[in-house]
């Protein structure tokens, strides 16, 4: 059995090569850190078994992040293991830096030059390059399984030979450092390597030997330059024809044009949104739900009804909770698939890097990354599926922030609430109310992100440097593989939770505290009991009637349920729901427009639906998901309170009186602060030079 | 001599060194090929100038402004 490590810069096609060799389906992306843990796979060639480990991308043998350290430790702990060093044909100038580091460390390397996309514009003389570097070179295409035989052959027939001395190392005075007391403990053959690392100022190595970095001269710039000079020399001899700057494209004149960039982006995103949540997505969702009902739901329910009677709780449980739950999962599935499809498209084509660049200005300030934009914007469709797309973000804090903020993007399930309830009270002006609500969500999200960034969730900032990928045609096989993986994950993880939650809420709304089945015995359901219990909490917000609160509790499962619950409590359906809200006799009613507004604000912001919550638990961890939910509730409560009370003030006292009142209070507040600050300010003191005493008057 | 943030778009420069660069950033920039004397061209700036796109060693690199600030060019 031959063991080897797959090593290379990020974005050189490591994971693609790994998948092609081992038949695995790991996710690939243009984003650093997509390979975060080591992945090990194996394959057979000519009767031999070869085990290969896919390591995170690194730039040299000195790490700047946790992932890189993992890779480097892995390489160094078994120095004799064969290394397949993958390089991008178009980027050899930079990729070879790592190759040199590996060769310096005495590793056994096979250089695999990956042709990604079209043929490079330059010809490379590989045999001569082999001689200069002292390691075998293989040309391949990482995504074409059939083209990998030369590599497999090279792996099997590799013979470790004496390492070629790299000429540029000679000019560094390694002897002086190597003769230090501490270095004598290191075995002879590793001494040179560690000496070099110390000269480079590698903190990890210095720590290991208990050496203070300051006693050793810092030669990192010279060493780097020496390596690159060597690369330039070697490539200069063996490459013909000049190539274009890799990653630059004429298309960027359009996509990153000052005026066109944003409109194009909005257009593409709007298209994605429309296709996922309205046309194809909606059609598939409805289709699947219908099929489920007709071929599974109805037959099952009628069978159970025959067995147990129409008012048995088994029938209710099956038809509403279980089949209903399955139905909603199937309804989500097409959206999940489409979202990931479009995400892969954006990633693979290289466009996502452009988006990240364009939005860096704002996002940097609030601590998010370019990929957050996609997740957040898809949150306007459905937060559950949107949060799933944040899975592969590398910066953990940015990922948490993105996950926490996605629910503030008012999802499509909340729309019926605005249109039915808001529509009843505001009529034509409702469009402004709705726009205001969407805007409020976004503004709150930005403010929160800013606060997070300054306090507890500072972004680690590892993505401050990024290579810009060229535009590329997507690889159908890869896209499909990503889709398949994510859909399966969704069904297994999220699906089970949704059904479980559905069952719980159904039980709450169908059974009394004493667990007797309400449709049969006509008691008060647990939901109603809780609603009545919690209602007083919401009186300051203007909507303290138990029906509203119960509907909100039901809405924890899915926001779509709120409107239908209201209808159920008021005993009406469909279009009559809106009108029923005016009647103070009804369990659900609103006494003023302010109360309605406050309610809408609250519904926009309170807890995320349980599906989203369960996805958040899986993606960002239970702790942060709970913190996020709590913050949402508090923010919702405060804002609803403010809206209701200001609204009532407007209604009772009139717009102008309130504005004047608030304005005067703010004026008084500002004047107080201003006076206070100027008193504290150090004043000019004419005795500055003569007076020996120390006092704050001497400054300025 | 000026830093990368002040450079003109499209004009070829040579890297002169780093100023006030934290150790880690300096090392990463060197590993990416920003060695002394290397030719570098600023190809694009984002709207508010927080992100830059440079051409170096035959490829395209995007940097945040706080990183670009430490790169001195002439």
């Amino acid at each position: 059995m031959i063991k080897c490590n797959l090593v290379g810069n990020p974005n050189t096609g490591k994971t693609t090569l790994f998948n092609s060799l081992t038949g695995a389906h790991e996710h690939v992306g243009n984003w650093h850190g997509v390979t975060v843990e080591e992945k090990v796979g194996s394959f057979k060639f000519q009767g031999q078994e070869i085990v290969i480990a896919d390591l995170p991308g690194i730039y040299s043998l000195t790490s700047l992040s946790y992932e890189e350290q993992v890779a480097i430790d892995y390489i160094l702990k078994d120095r004799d293991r064969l290394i397949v060093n993958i390089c991008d044909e178009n980027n050899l100038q930079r990729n070879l830096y790592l190759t040199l580091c590996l060769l310096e460390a005495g590793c056994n390397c096979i250089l695999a030059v990956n042709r990604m996309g079209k043929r490079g514009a330059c010809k490379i003389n590989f045999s001569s390059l082999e001689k200069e570097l002292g390691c075998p070179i293989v040309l391949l295409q990482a995504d074409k399984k059939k083209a990998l035989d030369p590599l497999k052959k090279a792996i099997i027939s590799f013979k470790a030979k004496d390492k070629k001395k790299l000429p540029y190392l000679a000019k560094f005075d390694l002897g002086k450092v190597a003769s230090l007391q501490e270095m004598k403990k290191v075995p002879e053959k590793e001494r040179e390597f560690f000496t070099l690392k110390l000269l480079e100022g590698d903190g990890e190595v210095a720590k290991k030997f208990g050496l203070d970095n300051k006693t050793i001269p810092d030669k990192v710039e010279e060493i780097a330059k020496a390596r690159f000079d060597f690369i330039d020399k070697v490539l200069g001899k063996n490459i013909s024809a000049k190539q274009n700057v890799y990653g630059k494209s004429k298309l960027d004149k359009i996509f990153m044009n000052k005026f066109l960039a944003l409109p194009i982006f909005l257009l593409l995103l709007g298209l994605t949104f429309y296709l996922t949540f309205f046309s194809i997505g909606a059609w598939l969702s409805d289709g699947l739900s219908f099929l489920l009902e007709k071929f599974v739901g109805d037959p099952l329910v009628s069978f159970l009804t025959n067995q147990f009677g129409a008012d048995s709780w088994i029938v209710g449980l099956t038809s509403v909770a279980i089949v209903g739950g399955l139905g909603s999962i199937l309804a989500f599935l097409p959206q999940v698939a489409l979202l990931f499809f479009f995400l892969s498209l954006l990633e693979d084509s290289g466009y996502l890097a452009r988006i990240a660049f364009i939005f860096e200005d704002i996002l940097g300030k609030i601590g998010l990354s370019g990929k957050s934009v996609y997740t957040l914007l898809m949150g306007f469709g459905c937060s559950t599926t949107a949060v799933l797309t944040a899975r592969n973000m590398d910066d953990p804090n940015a990922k948490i922030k993105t996950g926490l903020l996605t629910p503030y993007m008012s999802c499509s399930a909340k729309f019926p609430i605005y249109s039915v309830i808001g529509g009843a009270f505001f009529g034509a002006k409702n469009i402004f109310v709705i726009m205001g609500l969407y805007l409020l969500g976004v503004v709150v999200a930005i403010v929160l992100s800013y606060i997070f960034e300054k306090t507890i969730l500072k972004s680690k900032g590892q993505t401050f440097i990024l290579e810009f990928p060229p535009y590329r045609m997507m690889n159908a096989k890869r896209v499909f593989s990503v889709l398949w993986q994510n859909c399966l994950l969704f069904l297994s993880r999220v699906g089970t939770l949704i059904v479980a939650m559905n069952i719980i809420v159904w039980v709450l709304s169908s059974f009394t505290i004493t667990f007797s089945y309400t449709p049969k015995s006509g008691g008060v359901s647990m939901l109603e009991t809780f609603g009545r219990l919690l209602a007083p909490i919401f009186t300051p917000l203007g909507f303290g009637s138990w029906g509203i609160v119960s509907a909100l509790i039901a809405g924890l499962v899915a926001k779509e349920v709120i409107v239908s619950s209201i209808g159920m409590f008021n005993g009406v359906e469909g279009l009559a729901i809106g009108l029923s809200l005016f009647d103070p006799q009804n369990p659900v009613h609103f006494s003023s427009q302010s109360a309605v507004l406050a309610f809408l604000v609250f519904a926009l912001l309170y807890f995320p639906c349980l599906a989203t919550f369960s996805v958040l638990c899986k993606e960002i961890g239970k702790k942060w998901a709970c913190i996020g939910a709590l913050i949402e509730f508090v923010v919702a409560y405060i804002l609803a309170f403010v809206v209701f009370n200001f609204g009532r003030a407007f209604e009772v006292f009139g717009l102008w009186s309130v504005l004047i009142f608030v304005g005067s209070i703010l004026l008084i507040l500002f004047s107080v602060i201003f006076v206070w600050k100027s008193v504290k300010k150090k004043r000019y003191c004419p005795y500055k030079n003569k007076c020996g005493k120390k006092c704050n008057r001497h400054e300025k | 001599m000026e830093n990368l943030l002040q450079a003109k778009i499209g004009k070829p420069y040579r890297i002169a060194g780093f100023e006030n660069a934290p150790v880690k950033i300096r090392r990463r920039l060197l590993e990416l090929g920003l060695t002394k004397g290397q030719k570098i061209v600023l190809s694009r700036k984002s709207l508010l100038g927080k992100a830059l796109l440079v051409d170096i060693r035959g490829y395209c690199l995007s940097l945040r402004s706080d990183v670009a600030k430490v790169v001195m060019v002439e």
Side-chain angles (χ1 to χ4, degrees):
Chain A
M1 185 175 69
I2 305 178
K3 287 198 188 154
C4 49
N5 289 334
L6 193 49
V7 175
N9 282 176
N11 296 343
T12 43
K14 273 191 316 318
T15 307
T16 310
L17 181 62
F18 181 77
N19 290 347
S20 301
L21 285 172
T22 62
H25 284 285
E26 306 301 336
H27 179 80
V28 174
N30 262 335
W31 295 82
H32 294 200
V34 171
T35 310
V36 173
E37 308 129 1
E38 50 160 273
K39 294 193 242 314
V40 181
S42 67
F43 59 97
K44 279 203 170 57
F45 185 70
Q46 290 183 353
Q48 297 226 38
E49 191 192 354
I50 305 171
V51 174
I52 186 164
D54 180 16
L55 298 179
I58 50 176
Y59 288 103
S60 73
L61 288 179
T62 314
S63 73
L64 249 59
S65 75
Y66 174 71
E67 291 94 33
E68 293 176 13
Q69 192 58 41
V70 166
I72 294 169
D73 287 340
Y74 206 75
I75 297 172
L76 291 180
K77 80 165 184 236
D78 187 356
R79 210 72 72 83
D80 294 323
R81 192 180 286 201
L82 181 58
I83 289 186
V84 175
N85 177 213
I86 186 167
C87 291
D88 182 350
E89 183 189 29
N90 288 315
N91 233 329
L92 277 176
Q93 258 197 63
R94 199 192 71 229
N95 294 162
L96 285 178
Y97 189 84
L98 174 60
T99 315
L100 289 183
C101 290
L102 291 170
L103 292 173
E104 285 167 15
C107 294
N108 298 318
C109 289
I110 295 179
L111 190 62
V113 177
N114 187 11
R115 172 165 291 156
M116 301 167 88
K118 291 194 305 218
R119 188 184 205 85
C122 52
K123 281 191 172 21
I124 306 178
N125 183 346
F126 287 115
S127 50
S128 164
L129 205 55
E130 270 190 21
K131 288 206 196 73
E132 301 259 15
L133 293 176
C135 65
I137 300 185
V138 177
L139 184 57
L140 52 77
Q141 275 187 281
D143 54 352
K144 287 205 164 31
K145 279 200 188 135
K146 299 178 206 124
L148 297 178
D149 281 357
L151 174 63
K152 296 183 187 174
K153 215 166 182 191
I155 294 177
I156 293 190
S157 52
F158 185 84
K159 283 192 199 28
K161 46 188 184 311
D162 268 340
K163 303 295 174 304
K164 185 178 154 91
K165 263 289 190 206
L166 291 163
Y168 58 86
L169 286 181
K171 50 181 197 153
F172 294 106
D173 191 6
L174 298 174
K176 183 158 153 227
V177 178
S179 59
L180 278 178
Q181 194 60 22
E182 291 82 350
M183 294 301 287
K184 298 248 167 71
K185 299 187 214 131
V186 181
E188 175 87 42
K189 63 175 185 158
E190 293 185 7
R191 205 174 294 167
E192 190 177 288
F193 168 67
F194 282 117
T195 311
L196 200 58
K197 292 240 121 264
L198 284 171
L199 281 173
E200 272 191 316
D202 187 333
E204 292 285 327
V205 172
K207 238 193 296 184
K208 191 167 155 177
F209 289 110
L211 278 169
D212 188 358
N213 255 345
K214 298 194 186 79
T215 55
I216 303 173
D218 179 8
K219 299 242 181 240
V220 59
E221 284 200 37
E222 298 178 27
I223 297 180
K225 189 155 192 320
R227 290 182 182 135
F228 273 115
D229 285 343
F230 182 67
I231 294 176
D232 287 340
K233 191 177 83 178
V234 167
L235 285 183
K237 279 195 274 182
N238 295 309
I239 292 191
S240 68
K242 219 167 163 315
Q243 34 168 186
N244 292 326
V245 177
Y246 185 62
K248 214 170 167 175
S249 165
K250 296 214 178 70
L251 285 175
D252 281 332
K253 285 216 178 75
I254 311 173
F255 285 112
M256 298 218 282
N257 176 297
K258 259 198 294 195
F259 303 109
L260 292 179
L262 207 56
I264 292 183
F265 170 68
L266 291 174
L267 195 70
L268 287 174
L269 226 66
L271 197 64
T272 307
F273 199 79
Y274 175 72
L275 288 173
T276 310
F277 297 112
F278 292 100
S279 67
I280 307 181
W283 182 80
L284 283 171
S285 286
D286 293 340
L288 282 174
S289 301
F290 173 73
L291 287 174
L292 180 77
E293 230 182 273
K294 203 144 158 69
F295 293 107
V296 178
D298 289 344
L300 190 61
V301 170
S302 42
F303 167 74
L304 288 172
T305 315
N306 286 336
Q307 290 278 317
F308 299 102
D311 53 354
S312 148
W313 61 268
I314 297 183
V315 174
L317 179 71
T318 319
S319 70
V320 177
I322 299 182
V323 175
L326 287 174
S328 60
I329 298 172
L330 283 183
F332 276 138
L333 196 61
Q335 294 173 2
V336 173
L338 281 169
L339 273 185
F340 275 101
F341 173 72
F342 288 120
L343 183 60
S344 313
L345 220 64
L346 282 182
E347 270 186 312
D348 288 359
S349 65
Y351 186 59
L352 206 57
R354 271 80 184 163
I355 297 180
F357 185 79
I358 296 170
F359 282 94
E360 181 60 43
D361 297 332
I362 329 165
L363 296 180
K365 272 228 174 88
I366 56 179
L368 295 173
S369 82
K371 193 160 188 185
S372 315
V373 176
Y374 184 81
T375 304
L376 290 171
L377 287 171
M378 288 305 118
F380 281 116
C382 173
S383 352
T384 311
T385 48
V387 170
L388 283 174
T389 61
R391 173 168 302 150
N392 287 311
M393 287 183 73
D394 42 334
D395 181 355
N397 280 348
K399 179 173 165 186
I400 295 175
K401 277 205 280 280
T402 309
L404 290 178
L405 296 174
T406 308
Y408 290 93
M409 309 290 128
S410 176
C411 74
S412 55
K414 298 179 188 164
F415 191 78
I417 308 175
Y418 311 147
S419 64
V420 170
I421 301 181
F425 283 84
F426 295 107
K429 293 203 200 122
N430 202 24
I431 182 94
F432 295 114
V433 173
I434 295 182
M435 276 171 57
L437 288 168
Y438 274 90
L439 202 60
L440 184 65
V442 174
V443 167
V444 172
I446 293 180
V447 169
L448 280 176
S449 185
Y450 187 72
I451 297 177
F452 281 141
E453 173 67 10
K454 292 290 176 196
T455 56
I456 43 179
L457 275 177
K458 284 202 189 21
S459 57
K460 299 264 173 67
Q462 259 137 25
T463 49
F464 55 84
I465 298 175
L466 260 176
E467 305 140 57
F468 227 55
Y471 285 107
R472 277 202 274 262
M473 276 301 292
M474 70 167 188
N475 182 332
K477 215 181 352 165
R478 202 158 63 199
V479 172
F480 177 73
S481 159
V482 168
L483 225 84
W484 185 247
Q485 282 280 299
N486 282 301
C487 286
L488 283 181
L489 272 168
F490 169 74
L491 285 175
S492 60
R493 288 171 164 187
V494 183
T496 42
L497 250 127
I498 291 183
V499 175
M501 292 304 165
N502 248 32
I503 295 179
I504 292 178
V505 173
W506 177 82
V507 165
L508 283 177
S509 59
S510 312
F511 285 86
T512 65
I513 300 255
T514 53
F515 284 99
S516 76
Y517 192 51
T518 42
K520 221 193 267 192
S521 56
V524 175
S525 73
M526 282 191 268
L527 196 65
E528 191 180 321
T529 319
F530 291 141
R532 286 190 191 272
L533 210 67
L534 295 171
I537 303 180
F538 297 96
T539 322
L541 307 186
F543 45 91
S545 55
W546 72 264
I548 301 181
V549 180
S550 298
L552 283 172
I553 298 179
L556 286 177
V557 169
K559 303 297 160 84
E560 296 96 326
V561 169
I562 293 183
V563 176
S564 51
S565 301
I566 293 181
M568 191 172 73
F569 291 131
N570 280 0
V572 290
E573 245 184 46
L575 296 167
I577 297 182
L579 287 172
S580 71
L581 298 170
F582 288 93
D583 185 355
Q585 299 285 358
N586 276 331
V588 180
H589 65 271
F590 291 100
S591 33
S592 62
Q593 285 193 339
S594 319
V596 176
L597 260 181
F599 173 75
L600 290 177
V601 167
F602 192 78
L604 162 75
L605 297 170
Y606 81 120
F607 289 120
C609 71
L610 277 164
T612 307
F613 185 72
S614 51
V615 173
L616 280 174
C617 280
K618 295 266 193 262
E619 294 300 325
I620 65 177
K622 290 203 186 75
K623 170 180 138 192
W624 283 110
C626 291
I627 293 179
L630 197 66
I631 293 181
E632 276 186 64
F633 183 80
V634 169
V635 169
Y637 196 88
I638 295 178
L639 282 177
F641 181 81
V642 168
V643 168
F644 176 63
N645 288 293
F646 267 85
R648 286 300 292 155
F650 284 146
E651 281 173 17
V652 173
F653 299 113
L655 186 65
W656 286 113
S657 346
V658 177
L659 282 178
I660 294 174
F661 178 69
V662 170
S664 16
I665 294 211
L666 285 175
L667 202 66
I668 296 174
L669 208 66
F670 279 137
S671 344
V672 167
I673 295 178
F674 182 74
V675 170
W676 183 55
K677 273 211 168 129
S678 45
V679 166
K680 265 191 91 177
K681 199 160 82 176
K682 294 156 185 173
R683 290 200 299 266
Y684 179 72
C685 175
Y687 302 109
K688 186 167 84 167
N689 294 323
K690 302 180 196 159
C691 176
K693 289 199 221 135
K694 248 190 166 183
C695 83
N696 70 346
R697 289 192 181 196
H698 280 179
E699 311 306 324
K700 192 43 177 183
Chain B
M1 190 160 74
E2 46 189 354
N3 71 39
L4 202 51
L5 268 185
Q6 301 161 329
K8 285 209 211 26
I9 294 187
K11 181 168 159 194
Y13 288 90
R14 287 208 179 274
I15 296 191
F18 302 111
E19 195 170 294
N20 298 327
V23 172
K24 288 196 163 182
I25 294 187
R26 191 160 139 245
R27 165 159 312 122
R28 182 43 45 94
L29 289 173
L30 287 170
E31 290 169 359
L32 287 172
L34 278 79
T35 52
K36 206 177 265 194
Q38 180 62 27
K39 177 168 161 212
I40 183 169
V41 178
L42 178 60
S43 85
R44 203 177 278 272
K45 259 187 171 171
S46 69
L47 266 180
L48 295 179
K50 282 258 182 286
L52 284 82
L53 219 55
V54 296
D55 298 340
I56 185 149
R57 286 200 190 269
Y59 74 98
C60 211
L61 186 65
S62 92
L63 303 167
R64 248 199 233 163
S65 56
D66 50 355
V67 173
K69 232 194 307 193
V70 307
V71 181
M72 306 306 292
V73 295
E74 58 194 358

